[in-house]
Amino acid sequence: MSALAFYFKKLGKNVVGYDKTPSDITKKLEEVGVEIHFNDRGSDVLGGFEHIEDTLIIYTPAIPKDFGELGHFRESGYTIKKRAQVLGMITSESYCLAVAGTHGKTTTSSILGHLLAATGAPVTAFIGGITNNYNGNLIQKGNKVVVVEADEFDRSFMQLTPNVLCITSMDADHLDIYDNEQELVHTFKEFGSLVPAAKRFIKNGLPLDGNTVGIEDDSQYCAENVSVKNGQYLFDLKYPKGRLDNLVFNLPGRHNLFNAITALGIALEYGSPTVGLPKALSSYSGVNRRFTYRIQREDLVLIDDYAHHPTEISAVHQSVREMYPGEEVLAIFQPHLFSRTRDFIDDFAKELSAFDEVILLDIYPARELPIEGVTSQVLLDKIAIGNKSIAPKEELIASIKDSKKRIVVMMGAGDIGVEVLKITKILSDED
């Protein structure tokens, strides 16, 4: 949503927005002249938007259905479109590269956007996180090609008209929208059918035809000779028309290496010059809240990650064990959505049990109301390690100190992202 706000502001539009809580993103929007408010103003429409015919209301499905402002705009006859519809409008006039999957969208799309921008393509990329290379979630180097995250929530990606697409994963998620995993997979297949098989990049093993992507397997786009040196992945890329050797990638975790291979494949399909791709890849520095180091000291390493699904927690665990073999790890996790916690509670418990100590926060509700019998305590009871607890946010710093674990990972898609910044500041000031 904020990338769209930046996009329209750069076009010279008058942009106003609502968010639930202040953040670094809202501050950056305010700095460029976007007015942000944090309370539901209902029918108290802000000045400058009285002309209904000149105003477009864009909303995300994360907004509750009973949100007063949205109801007022509907009753007043404003043009209202979901975020995905607007992305569809923007991309319909450009060459569209769409990145889909229940995990990996943001990292893959940010790598792809960077590869294109760094090799001179006239690209606009809408990213679902803050890229470290561009200090924002919008890359604007032209408008002939657009990179966009294709979100499966609410079947939003069916609003897009991609020319090339990828599907990085199809794990069960959003079961508040889809009746079951089979329906989710069916919808991904529908999305995949929007382009010919030759224009699809598919994780090897998924039930879809297309260019297969993998690591040290029989994929058409495959990482070979993979090694880790000084925290970097070194590998060669084999693809149908050739090879790219001696590639360097700076993000930890094989899931991120897979994302990089996918992005390289799409960049090659688009026509990016092979001579520039190795340097572009090695200069990619990641996305905020995707295994982001907040503190790196001899006595404390604090890692911040957006992981909010069991598969993503597993990927974080694999990454941290790869980077810090033999060390004990404290995981602090804020469950996101009552429905997701209910649907995957056993899987959450299994993945969290792989850590040495776990601290849970209360469930972040986002757009949902509480569900009876779904609490962090129920999840905690299922975690199969003894060193586990629930803590309020105001006690997290004390809990981290009491733990005495050198490696601390904070995970979740709710306001834990704001909390980790507060904790980082306090603990850094104490250094």
Side-chain angles (χ1 to χ4, degrees):
M1 287 293 287
S2 56
L4 282 175
F6 282 117
Y7 175 82
F8 283 115
K9 187 65 180 177
K10 286 185 177 182
L11 291 182
K13 307 299 183 183
N14 185 15
V15 183
V16 170
Y18 160 85
D19 205 348
K20 191 171 184 178
T21 55
S23 65
D24 285 346
I25 290 176
T26 61
K27 290 176 184 175
K28 289 178 181 178
L29 283 168
E30 289 172 326
E31 287 170 1
V32 298
V34 176
E35 186 177 342
I36 309 291
H37 58 280
F38 303 96
N39 60 309
D40 183 353
R41 296 183 174 179
S43 61
D44 185 18
V45 180
L46 298 176
F49 293 88
E50 293 84 359
H51 298 292
I52 294 176
E53 67 277 8
D54 295 332
T55 301
L56 173 63
I57 307 301
I58 308 170
Y59 76 101
T60 163
I63 293 292
K65 292 180 180 179
D66 61 353
F67 191 70
E69 291 181 23
L70 190 57
H72 167 72
F73 288 128
R74 283 199 177 102
E75 293 169 3
S76 302
Y78 284 81
T79 299
I80 300 175
K81 294 187 180 296
K82 290 183 179 179
R83 169 185 171 274
Q85 291 175 294
V86 176
L87 285 174
M89 292 163 52
I90 293 171
T91 59
S92 64
E93 301 300 321
S94 304
Y95 194 83
C96 177
L97 310 177
V99 178
T102 44
H103 323 294
K105 290 188 293 294
T106 294
T107 301
T108 305
S109 59
S110 66
I111 298 172
L112 177 57
H114 176 65
L115 292 177
L116 296 182
T119 53
V123 61
T124 291
F126 294 93
I127 313 298
I130 303 300
T131 61
N132 296 330
N133 291 88
Y134 303 91
N135 194 31
N137 53 7
L138 178 68
I139 302 172
Q140 263 187 312
K141 302 293 183 180
N143 57 11
K144 290 186 179 180
V145 57
V146 176
V147 176
V148 62
E149 291 188 29
D151 192 0
E152 74 280 2
F153 178 78
D154 203 25
R155 298 174 174 83
S156 293
F157 52 18
M158 299 306 295
Q159 303 286 342
L160 301 173
T161 52
N163 298 95
V164 180
L165 63 81
C166 71
I167 299 177
T168 62
S169 54
M170 296 193 305
D171 293 328
D173 199 4
H174 302 304
L175 297 184
D176 54 330
I177 299 296
Y178 299 93
D179 290 337
N180 50 52
E181 183 175 1
Q182 290 72 32
E183 185 183 346
L184 175 72
V185 170
H186 175 73
T187 306
F188 268 110
K189 289 181 176 179
E190 277 190 291
F191 173 71
S193 70
L194 295 177
V195 303
K199 300 293 185 179
R200 291 196 294 260
F201 288 77
I202 307 296
K203 183 178 183 180
N204 200 348
L206 293 181
L208 268 173
D209 293 332
N211 299 294
T212 53
V213 182
I215 300 173
E216 296 184 322
D217 58 14
D218 61 351
S219 297
Q220 293 162 282
Y221 290 78
C222 182
E224 298 182 331
N225 305 316
V226 178
S227 63
V228 178
K229 185 176 181 180
N230 297 325
Q232 298 175 316
Y233 277 114
L234 311 178
F235 69 101
D236 303 326
L237 175 69
K238 178 199 74 174
Y239 63 101
K241 295 182 180 179
R243 298 179 63 88
L244 289 175
D245 292 331
N246 303 314
L247 296 173
V248 178
F249 183 58
N250 291 303
L251 267 62
R254 288 175 78 86
H255 62 296
N256 283 322
L257 178 59
F258 167 80
N259 295 335
I261 302 161
T262 304
L264 283 166
I266 298 174
L268 289 165
E269 172 62 31
Y270 170 70
S272 296
T274 55
V275 67
L277 286 174
K279 182 179 179 181
L281 182 68
S282 66
S283 66
Y284 174 77
S285 58
V287 179
N288 186 42
R289 300 215 63 229
R290 270 63 174 185
F291 211 87
T292 298
Y293 286 99
R294 298 298 182 187
I295 297 175
Q296 281 184 289
R297 300 197 309 245
E298 286 296 320
D299 63 322
L300 177 64
V301 175
L302 178 61
I303 299 165
D304 178 20
D305 198 276
Y306 191 70
H308 57 284
H309 184 280
T311 302
E312 295 163 351
I313 293 173
S314 175
V316 171
H317 177 261
Q318 181 265 324
S319 299
V320 76
R321 295 299 189 196
E322 183 178 54
M323 299 303 293
Y324 302 99
E327 295 212 46
E328 292 195 337
V329 181
L330 165 63
I332 301 172
F333 177 57
Q334 182 188 48
H336 184 262
L337 298 179
F338 294 100
S339 59
R340 181 182 284 121
T341 306
R342 174 200 62 201
D343 294 338
F344 303 107
I345 194 163
D346 290 334
D347 295 322
F348 276 122
K350 175 186 174 184
E351 301 303 340
L352 289 167
S353 297
F355 293 92
D356 302 286
E357 181 180 356
V358 173
I359 297 174
L360 296 181
L361 299 179
D362 286 335
I363 297 172
Y364 184 80
R367 59 188 175 271
E368 294 184 341
L369 296 174
I371 298 175
E372 186 176 354
V374 181
T375 65
S376 288
Q377 184 62 55
V378 174
L379 172 57
L380 188 78
D381 292 342
K382 289 177 173 285
I383 294 174
I385 59 174
N387 200 356
K388 58 185 180 180
S389 61
I390 294 177
K393 295 172 187 174
E394 56 269 20
E395 294 180 10
L396 281 180
I397 291 176
S399 298
I400 291 171
K401 292 178 178 179
D402 291 343
S403 167
K404 295 183 170 56
K405 300 287 189 296
R406 190 176 84 92
I407 314 300
V408 180
V409 181
M410 297 184 67
M411 299 177 288
D415 60 3
I416 190 172
V418 176
E419 204 63 31
V420 72
L421 297 179
K422 298 177 185 176
I423 291 171
T424 299
K425 185 177 188 310
I426 293 171
L427 293 180
S428 298
D429 289 345
E430 292 179 356
D431 182 22

